[in-house]
Amino acid sequence: MPETAQQYTRRILSNALGQDPIKIQSKTNRKLGRLTKRRPDEQNFASGPAPEKWSVAEILAHLCRRRKS
């Protein structure tokens, strides 16, 4: 059964480990830039580590996608 919106929110907030989620989000772009810059050129951003796992490109696209209100 898929998780509810409330369950998803609780799960995501639990990853913050008591930190302010807004502050974490404001640091995300810089941190992603540092992490992806250090990756060896031969590593493929388009393929995931396993069939059911997201690739680096999919994760970045998900994080960067703006939702229209």
Side-chain angles (χ1 to χ4, degrees), residues 10-67:
R10 275 195 304 273
R11 181 171 57 85
I12 295 303
L13 289 175
S14 73
N15 292 330
L17 301 173
Q19 299 176 64
D20 180 358
I22 300 301
K23 287 183 181 179
I24 292 172
Q25 190 174 23
S26 71
K27 297 176 185 177
T28 299
N29 287 344
R30 283 190 306 272
K31 187 170 184 175
L32 287 173
R34 284 193 312 272
L35 291 171
T36 56
K37 193 175 196 176
R38 292 192 317 226
R39 288 178 63 95
D41 290 339
E42 67 271 6
Q43 286 188 330
N44 187 345
F45 279 73
S47 61
E52 297 297 320
K53 299 292 183 181
W54 285 16
S55 70
V56 172
E58 290 170 320
I59 293 168
L60 292 173
H62 175 75
L63 292 172
C64 294
R65 193 170 102 193
R66 296 183 75 188
R67 301 204 187 277

